[in-house]
Every structure is written in structure tokens, then in C-alpha cells.
């Protein structure tokens, strides 16, 4: 910086009289050897104080090095020393900065000597500089207002002719408020508060502003402003400003809505907790001075918990666990809570709680949560009681099975006796009646001969009945090894052997159509179809040769007749052979379809059609033992069809 020097001396009176205008006087500060080292401010004129905008009391006594930043202060000290030592005046047109960082107001600085110091006069453009500074300050303030996140607005009071405050006129708004309100500055500034924002009346903002002006006291508030197209929560402060107020408000809508959502979520969670049937309780750890866990304190219980323990929520929340339920110590429950908290792992257990007036089985889960645990459990008392009852029943069943085994052994003995010892007397009876009938026939009259015939017929029937009963009882025995059986070959063998006489007697015919290979017990399979074909040939119409057709097709489980027991069983065997044995015989009334499969049930007299009445019962038992079912369809006088449903992939309990 290069000063321009004016070698014209100041008039003598300037050293005596204080100049007018913005003038500052500095006193030289010298070292012990007389060297100038600084200058101390000793006087400001009124114009200078106005220019500097600082009271004299704050500046008087300060050194140049305390007023200006270092390099500016050093420059001014050198210029002031030049003037003080030489008596010459110096003019400077530069900008200087105070230590506070502000730019010092200046025009043309005229530095003149005075006693052992200097006068500094500010040039004639000082008023312009002051005005410019005020403008800059105002612009700076507006910039700050527009850069903050707080909505700021200023208002002047509007009064009626009696001086009563009735409204406010908006004089300033920052950008944040305009964005929040969705208005432009032209729509707001200069307008009345109640016309621009009518919601200020019902929300109480107008009343608060009036109170601030009248009392001069600040007010703070929080409110939900849901008027004038707005729906916001604001945290505001109203301060007096001249004959008006300044309002600064912060939008806390997101915060409040988050709190509302949190509250709603908490209420929802509580509703869910009180709706579920699982008992839930939360506990905080209780520790001693050394940090050792000594107990748990209830912080939450749901309604299921209250119902199960029979105590109100108010009696539990805040209470110590061991005070409310001392039995948790003896039952191991407390130890489970402690283990979960110490390990940070979920603990599960089933326990029988027989303390504190309770007698319940529970399946519990304990999960650590913060410095505490959350415990939930389900009352499984009924299930446990059922399991205990089941075990007792199992024991009873084992006893019954043991007795049944002994009974079966006795039945086996009976079957042996029936097959040997009972049949032996029958054979002798028939032998003796045959001897009497053939060797002594001439010695008996007609009545005696008829009696012998009847005795012989009864013995034969009894023999057949014993044989069929034995056959029926043996079906319950363990099945033999299953083998593939060609059904067509099986029936062909029956025709050539067991059915040969009946076919020849009745002149019957058996037709086969697409018969499969089945997996079964060979002996039981032979007995099944022997019984079915024998019945088909036996129950023929008089004078009409019997015709029997055996056919087969594969059906799905869903296509089984709904009245069959296997139709509603689990899908163990998904597909079945439907084997039809159809005849053209006498038929039967369909209402007897269930009766014909019962033991000893006959639809015709023994004199018409011989038999024991067990044959179809044997058929049903054989089919069911192989996981299938049997039924019949018939029209009286037209014939019958017996339908055997045999699993394609045989899966049965053997």
C-alpha cells in the first residue's frame, strides 16, 4: 500500500480544536528509548461513532494492534508514525479489517499530526459507505434467513382507531416459510395475517402474537396446523419486535408422524399380544451394586398370561419375579431365564409347574431382549393329560393284547380240535348212517329210512359249517408271502378242478376279459374266486344255463364308490383294479347288499340253495386283508355283479 503525501501543514487551530465530522484521535505509544511502537485510540466524534456503529466506551483505550488484523495494524502504525514524526498529512484510500473480521468503514482517510499523536478524518463519501454497509447488512441478514431450516416471518401490529391491536401485517418472510406455505413472496408480504392464514385464529397463533406484543414476553408453542391447505406439526417461538412480532417455527411433522406411527405400532403390537392365546411376559434384569443379576422385574404381560395365572396386570407389572412367583426358583424357571440372558440364546422347555397355586404343563420359549428376557408359553396341560391317559391306555392295551394272545392260543387249540376231534365223530356218524342205509335198508320202514337220510344230511352240513368256520378264522392269521398271480390262469385252473362238476351239472360257461396279474396270498386268492364263481353258478335261474363273465379295468381312488370304507382312507393305494364277476342268475334285492357279506346271513333257505352262509363273509375278509374292498350290484331276476377293488400297487399292513 502506497500512501499519497500532502506537504501542506494543517492550520494551527487543528491542533487545538476538535475537527467536525467523522474524526478519530490516536495518542502515540512509545518505547523507553522514544521509539513509536503503537497508537492508542483516545477519542471518537459522534459522527465517527455512528460510522463505526460502536459506542466509544467499547473502543477508547484500545491500540491499533488490538483494533485491526496484524498486517493492516502494522501498516497503519507506520503511516501514523510518519505523520507524527514529520508533521506532514497523509491521505489513504484502502480497505482495512478489524480483528472481529468485519470490514472497517472508510472513504478517503486523511491523517494529520496532533500533539504526540494523530487525527484521522474520514472523507466526504462516508454517508454513502454507511448506507451501503446497512444495505449489505440487510442483504446478509436475508441470506442467513433464507439459508436456515427454520421458517421466519416478521409482522407489524395493526390497530383500530382506538389503538386496539386487531391483526398483524406481514413485513418479511424467508424462503423456508414460502416453501412450507406454498406461496410466493408477493402473495404474502404486505398482507394481513388473518387474511393470508385464516387458520391463525382457530389454532391460537393470533392470540399468542397479541399476548407477546402486549406483555413483551416471548412465547413458545407446539401445534398441529391443519388449515389453509396445510397439514403440519410445528415447534414455534414468538418474540416481540418493535410494534410487532417475529415468529420462528420448525417443521417437526416427520418427527411427530414417526412418533404417531410408533405409537400406533405399539398399540397394534399390544392388541396382537392381547389377542393371541400364547402367554407372553417381558422382564428387566435386576442387579446388585456389583452388577450381579439377582432377580427379574415384570415390564409387560399380555391378557393370556393374566388369564393363565389368575392375576391382574396391575398386580404384576413392576413387581419382582420371585416375589410374584416364588416357585420359579424351585421349578428351575428362574435358572432358564438366567441362562438365556447370559448365553444370549433361545431356551425351550416343557415343564410341569406345580407352584404358586398353579398346576399346569407349559411349553415355553425364553429369548434375551436388551438387559432382560421375553418369555412365552402355551398351556399344554390337556395334551400332557391326554399323553398320560394314552400311556395308561397303552399299558391296558398291552395287558389286553397279552390276554388276547392267550385267547388266540386257545382258539388255535379249538381250531385244531374242530378240524380233527369234531370232524372225527361226524365222519363216524356218516359212516354208521351209510352202513344202516345200505346194509340194513330192508329192515327199516319208510320213516326210519327218512330219519337216517336226515341224520346223514345234517352231519354233512355240520361238516361243511366247521370247514367254513375254520377257513374264516384262518384269514386273520399272518398272510403268506405275496406272489404274482395270473388271474386268468387261476380261474382256468378252478374250471378244470374245483368248478368242473358244478359247470357240468348246470351247463354253465365262464368268460374272461382282460384279467390282470395280481399280487396276493396264493391260497386266499384261490379261495376268493372259488367262492365267487361257485355262488354265480349256484344261484342260477331254473332252465337257464348260467353265464359268468369276469372282467377288469384300472380306476383311480377318486373314482371308487363313495360307500366303500377304503374311499375315505389316506391315499396309500392311489389306483385299483376293479374286477367284476357278473352272472345272469336270480339276483337279489339291492337293499340286502350289506347283509349278504355277514356271517351266517342267507337270503334263501337251505333246501333251495345249499351252503353255510359264510362264503361271502370269507370273500370280504380276504379282500380287506389285501387293502381292497368288495361290494355288489344286482337286479332281482336279472343277475348280480360282484365288484372286487384290488390295489394296483399293493400296500397293506401285514
Amino acid at each position: 500500500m502506497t500512501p499519497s503525501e500532502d506537504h501542506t501543514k494543517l492550520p494551527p487551530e487543528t491542533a487545538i480544536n476538535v475537527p467536525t465530522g467523522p474524526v478519530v484521535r490516536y495518542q502515540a505509544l512509545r518505547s523507553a528509548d522514544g521509539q513509536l511502537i503503537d497508537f492508542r485510540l483516545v477519542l471518537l466524534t459522534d459522527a465517527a461513532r455512528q460510522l463505526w456503529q460502536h459506542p466509544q466506551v467499547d473502543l477508547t483505550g484500545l491500540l491499533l494492534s488490538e483494533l485491526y488484523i496484524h498486517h493492516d495494524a502494522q501498516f497503519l502504525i507506520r503511516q501514523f508514525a510518519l505523520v507524527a514524526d514529520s508533521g506532514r498529512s497523509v491521505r489513504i484510500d484502502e480497505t482495512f479489517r478489524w480483528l472481529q473480521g468485519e470490514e472497517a468503514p472508510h472513504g478517503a482517510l486523511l491523517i494529520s499530526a496532533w500533539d504526540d499523536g494523530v487525527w484521522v478524518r474520514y472523507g466526504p463519501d462516508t454517508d454513502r459507505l454507511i448506507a451501503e454497509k446497512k444495505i449489505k447488512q440487510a442483504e446478509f441478514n436475508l441470506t442467513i434467513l433464507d439459508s436456515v431450516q427454520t421458517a421466519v416471518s416478521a409482522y407489524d401490529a395493526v390497530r383500530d382507531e382506538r389503538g386496539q391491536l386487531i391483526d398483524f401485517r406481514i413485513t418479511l418472510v424467508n424462503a423456508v416459510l414460502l416453501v412450507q406455505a406454498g406461496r410466493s413472496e408477493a402473495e404474502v408480504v404486505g398482507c394481513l395475517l388473518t387474511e393470508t392464514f385464516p387458520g391463525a385464529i382457530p389454532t391460537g397463533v393470533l392470540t399468542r402474537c397479541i399476548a407477546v406484543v402486549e406483555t413483551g414476553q416471548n412465547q413458545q408453542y407446539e401445534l398441529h396446523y391443519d388449515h389453509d391447505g396445510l397439514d403440519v406439526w410445528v415447534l414455534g417461538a414468538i418474540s416481540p419486535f418493535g410494534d410487532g412480532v417475529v415468529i420462528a417455527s420448525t417443521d417437526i411433522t416427520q418427527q411427530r408422524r414417526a412418533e404417531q406411527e410408533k405409537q400406533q405400532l405399539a398399540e397394534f403390537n399390544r392388541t396382537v399380544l392381547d389377542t393371541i392365546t400364547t402367554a407372553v411376559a417381558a422382564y428387566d434384569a435386576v442387579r446388585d451394586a456389583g452388577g450381579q443379576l439377582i432377580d427379574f422385574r415384570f415390564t409387560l404381560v399380555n391378557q393370556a398370561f393374566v388369564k393363565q395365572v389368575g392375576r391382574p396386570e396391575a398386580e404384576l407389572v413392576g413387581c419382582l419375579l420371585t416375589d410374584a412367583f416364588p416357585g420359579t426358583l424351585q421349578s428351575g424357571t428362574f435358572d432358564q431365564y438366567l441362562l438365556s440372558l447370559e448365553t444370549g440364546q433361545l431356551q425351550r422347555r416343557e415343564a410341569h409347574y406345580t407352584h404358586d397355586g398353579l398346576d399346569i404343563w407349559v411349553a415355553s420359549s425364553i429369548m434375551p431382549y436388551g438387559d432382560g428376557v421375553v418369555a412365552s408359553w402355551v398351556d399344554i396341560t390337556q395334551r400332557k393329560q391326554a399323553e398320560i391317559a394314552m400311556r395308561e391306555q397303552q399299558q391296558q392295551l398291552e395287558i389286553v393284547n397279552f390276554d388276547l394272545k392267550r385267547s388266540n392260543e386257545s382258539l388255535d387249540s379249538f381250531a385244531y380240535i374242530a378240524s380233527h376231534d369234531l370232524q372225527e365223530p361226524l365222519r363216524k356218524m356218516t359212516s354208521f348212517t351209510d352202513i344202516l342205509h345200505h346194509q340194513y335198508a330192508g329192515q327199516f320202514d319208510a320213516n326210519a329210512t327218512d330219519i337216517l337220510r336226515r341224520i346223514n344230511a345234517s352231519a354233512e352240513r355240520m361238516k361243511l359249517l366247521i370247514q367254513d368256520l375254520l377257513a374264516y378264522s384262518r384269514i386273520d392269521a399272518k398272510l403268506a408271502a405275496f406272489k404274482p398271480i395270473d388271474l386268468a390262469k387261476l380261474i382256468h385252473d378252478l374250471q378244470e378242478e374245483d368248478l368242473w362238476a358244478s359247470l357240468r351239472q348246470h351247463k354253465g360257461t365262464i368268460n374272461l376279459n382282460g384279467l390282470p396279474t395280481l399280487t396276493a396270498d396264493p391260497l386266499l386268492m384261490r379261495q376268493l374266486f372259488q367262492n365267487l364263481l361257485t355262488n354265480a353258478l349256484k344261484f342260477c335261474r331254473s332252465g337257464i344255463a348260467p353265464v359268468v363273465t369276469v372282467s377288469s379295468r384300472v380306476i383311480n381312488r377318486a373314482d371308487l364308490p363313495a360307500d366303500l370304507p377304503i374311499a375315505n382312507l389316506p391315499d396309500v393305494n392311489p389306483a385299483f383294479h376293479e374286477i367284476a364277476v357278473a352272472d345272469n342268475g336270480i339276483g337279489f334285492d339291492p337293499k340286502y347288499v350289506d347283509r349278504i357279506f355277514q356271517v351266517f346271513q342267507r337270503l334263501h333257505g337251505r333246501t333251495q340253495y345249499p351252503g353255510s352262509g359264510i362264503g361271502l363273509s370269507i370273500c370280504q375278509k380276504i379282500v380287506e386283508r389285501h387293502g381292497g374292498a368288495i361290494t355288489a350290484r344286482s337286479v332281482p331276476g336279472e343277475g348280480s355283479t360282484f365288484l372286487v377293488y384290488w390295489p394296483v400297487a399293493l400296500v397293506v399292513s401285514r
Side-chain angles (χ1 to χ4, degrees):
M1 292 177 283
T2 306
S4 58
E5 298 182 356
D6 184 353
H7 300 285
T8 305
K9 293 285 187 94
L10 287 176
E13 61 269 22
T14 58
I16 301 172
N17 302 318
V18 177
T20 60
V23 177
V24 182
R25 192 175 75 180
Y26 294 90
Q27 180 72 45
L29 180 65
R30 298 180 183 274
S31 64
D33 58 359
Q35 294 295 319
L36 270 168
I37 58 175
D38 210 336
F39 287 84
R40 189 184 305 280
L41 189 151
V42 294
L43 175 68
L44 288 92
T45 63
D46 291 339
R49 287 196 298 273
Q50 183 180 4
L51 176 63
W52 281 22
Q53 296 184 353
H54 283 283
Q56 181 166 301
V57 68
D58 291 342
L59 301 176
T60 301
L62 293 178
L63 301 175
L64 278 177
S65 58
E66 296 173 332
L67 286 169
Y68 295 95
I69 61 177
H70 179 71
H71 62 278
D72 285 356
Q74 294 304 312
F75 174 79
L76 289 173
I77 290 171
R78 289 196 299 272
Q79 299 308 312
F80 287 8
L82 177 62
V83 172
D85 288 342
S86 66
R88 293 178 296 175
S89 297
V90 175
R91 179 186 176 90
I92 303 174
D93 292 306
E94 293 293 342
T95 300
F96 303 99
R97 297 190 69 83
W98 284 325
L99 278 177
Q100 291 83 353
E102 300 178 45
E103 192 173 281
H106 69 282
L109 295 182
L110 184 61
I111 306 169
S112 304
W114 166 80
D115 194 9
D116 191 18
V118 295
W119 289 104
V120 178
R121 182 196 299 270
Y122 287 84
D125 56 352
T126 298
D127 292 339
R128 175 181 60 79
L129 295 173
I130 294 173
E132 289 176 354
K133 182 175 180 180
K134 290 182 177 179
I135 292 173
K136 288 182 179 180
Q137 184 64 45
E139 292 174 348
F140 176 73
N141 292 340
L142 287 175
T143 301
I144 292 176
L145 286 178
D146 288 338
S147 64
V148 297
Q149 299 300 313
T150 303
V152 180
S153 52
Y155 305 83
D156 282 345
V158 176
R159 302 177 182 276
D160 59 16
E161 62 276 3
R162 296 176 298 174
Q164 186 72 26
L165 201 160
I166 58 174
D167 208 336
F168 290 88
R169 190 174 303 279
I170 304 171
T171 58
L172 179 144
V173 292
N174 70 343
V176 176
L177 187 141
L178 294 175
V179 171
Q180 288 182 0
R183 313 278 183 92
S184 66
E185 186 175 3
E187 293 177 298
V188 175
V189 175
C191 298
L192 293 178
L193 171 62
T194 57
E195 291 178 353
T196 309
F197 299 105
I201 298 174
T203 58
V205 173
L206 178 63
T207 303
R208 291 176 182 275
C209 290
I210 293 174
V212 169
V213 172
E214 292 178 345
T215 64
Q217 300 294 319
N218 295 343
Q219 281 204 23
Q220 294 183 343
Y221 62 92
E222 179 182 323
L223 62 83
H224 182 202
Y225 198 95
D226 55 349
H227 301 274
D228 312 321
L230 301 175
D231 185 8
V232 293
W233 284 88
V234 294
L235 184 64
I238 306 174
S239 302
F241 181 70
D243 191 22
V245 294
V246 171
I247 301 178
S249 61
T250 302
D251 187 342
I252 57 171
T253 304
Q254 290 186 345
Q255 176 184 344
R256 286 293 174 264
R257 286 179 179 167
E259 291 174 355
Q260 287 179 340
E261 291 174 359
K262 183 178 179 180
Q263 178 66 25
Q264 290 171 355
L265 180 60
E267 292 174 356
F268 173 77
N269 290 339
R270 181 66 203 213
T271 301
V272 172
L273 281 177
D274 286 340
T275 301
I276 61 176
T277 56
T278 301
V280 179
Y283 311 84
D284 279 346
V286 177
R287 302 180 182 275
D288 60 18
Q292 185 71 25
L293 191 145
I294 57 175
D295 210 331
F296 290 91
R297 191 180 303 280
F298 280 95
T299 59
L300 177 145
V301 292
N302 71 341
Q303 290 303 305
F305 183 99
V306 169
K307 182 177 179 181
Q308 287 187 17
V309 303
R311 302 191 194 179
E313 181 177 357
E315 185 179 313
L316 297 172
V317 174
C319 182
L320 293 178
L321 173 63
T322 56
D323 286 346
F325 298 97
T328 55
L329 294 170
Q330 292 81 20
S331 65
T333 303
F334 187 92
D335 293 336
Q336 289 291 316
Y337 289 6
L338 180 60
L339 180 62
S340 177
L341 184 58
E342 289 180 343
T343 64
Q345 295 179 350
L346 173 68
Q347 302 293 322
R348 297 184 186 276
R349 64 179 295 206
E350 287 188 2
H352 189 195
Y353 196 88
T354 57
H355 305 274
D356 310 315
L358 301 174
D359 185 4
I360 58 174
W361 281 90
V362 295
S364 63
S365 299
I366 303 102
M367 173 67 76
Y369 180 75
D371 191 25
V373 295
V374 174
S376 63
W377 63 85
V378 178
D379 187 342
I380 58 171
T381 304
Q382 290 185 345
R383 175 167 69 82
K384 281 295 184 180
Q385 289 175 344
E387 289 176 357
I388 293 171
M390 188 176 297
R391 284 197 297 270
E392 293 174 350
Q393 290 176 358
Q394 184 67 28
Q395 293 174 352
Q396 292 296 325
L397 282 175
E398 290 176 358
I399 295 173
V400 171
N401 285 337
F402 178 75
D403 293 340
L404 185 59
K405 182 179 179 180
R406 289 191 303 178
S407 177
N408 286 337
E409 292 173 351
S410 299
L411 286 174
D412 288 341
S413 299
F414 168 76
Y416 178 81
I417 293 171
S419 61
H420 294 84
D421 298 352
L422 290 181
Q423 290 189 64
E424 180 60 27
L426 286 175
R427 281 193 295 270
K428 289 182 178 180
M429 287 174 63
T430 55
S431 296
F432 290 150
T433 54
D434 283 342
I435 292 172
L436 290 173
H437 180 68
H438 292 96
Q439 296 183 14
Y440 300 98
Q443 301 179 22
F444 299 120
D445 58 16
N447 289 333
T449 300
D450 183 60
I451 290 171
L452 288 174
R453 181 186 60 78
R454 290 177 182 274
I455 291 172
N456 193 49
S458 296
E460 288 295 335
R461 285 199 305 272
M462 187 172 183
K463 177 181 177 181
L464 177 62
L465 181 61
I466 290 173
Q467 290 174 344
D468 286 348
L469 280 173
L470 284 172
Y472 186 80
S473 65
R474 288 194 185 107
I475 296 172
D476 286 329
K478 185 176 181 180
L479 296 175
F482 286 173
K483 296 181 180 179
I485 298 173
D486 185 338
L487 187 56
K489 183 178 184 305
L490 173 66
I491 295 176
H492 179 74
D493 292 344
L494 287 172
Q495 288 178 275
E496 296 297 323
E497 299 169 6
D498 300 306
L499 301 177
W500 180 82
S502 182
L503 285 169
R504 184 174 181 183
Q505 176 186 353
H506 297 292
K507 299 179 181 180
T509 304
I510 298 178
N511 300 319
L512 307 181
N513 184 11
L515 298 184
T517 296
L518 303 178
T519 302
D521 181 319
L523 292 178
L524 294 182
M525 178 64 72
R526 184 182 182 90
Q527 188 171 10
L528 168 65
F529 282 95
Q530 180 179 341
N531 287 1
L532 290 175
L533 293 172
T534 298
N535 276 3
L537 295 173
K538 180 169 62 175
F539 293 101
C540 60
R541 287 179 285 176
S542 178
I544 299 177
V547 178
V548 183
T549 301
V550 184
S551 60
S552 177
R553 64 171 184 153
V554 176
I555 65 171
N556 295 322
R557 172 178 290 277
D559 298 323
L560 289 172
D563 56 346
L564 293 181
I566 61 173
N568 299 316
L569 293 177
D571 192 9
V572 176
N573 299 304
F576 291 82
H577 294 289
E578 183 187 66
I579 304 168
V581 180
D583 62 54
N584 61 343
I586 62 174
F588 62 87
D589 191 330
K591 68 182 180 180
Y592 297 121
V593 67
D594 293 328
R595 178 179 171 185
I596 62 175
F597 292 103
Q598 297 177 8
V599 179
F600 301 131
Q601 294 298 315
R602 301 171 56 93
L603 300 183
H604 308 282
R606 283 191 302 270
T607 57
Q608 293 177 284
Y609 301 96
S612 64
I614 303 176
L616 288 178
S617 300
I618 292 174
C619 291
Q620 184 181 52
K621 203 164 191 180
I622 291 173
V623 174
E624 290 178 349
R625 286 284 280 150
H626 286 78
I630 186 171
T631 187
R633 305 286 183 266
S634 184
V635 177
E638 296 184 12
S640 303
T641 299
F642 284 82
L643 299 169
V644 176
Y645 294 94
W646 200 273
V648 171
L650 191 60
V651 180
V652 296
S653 173
R654 301 180 62 191

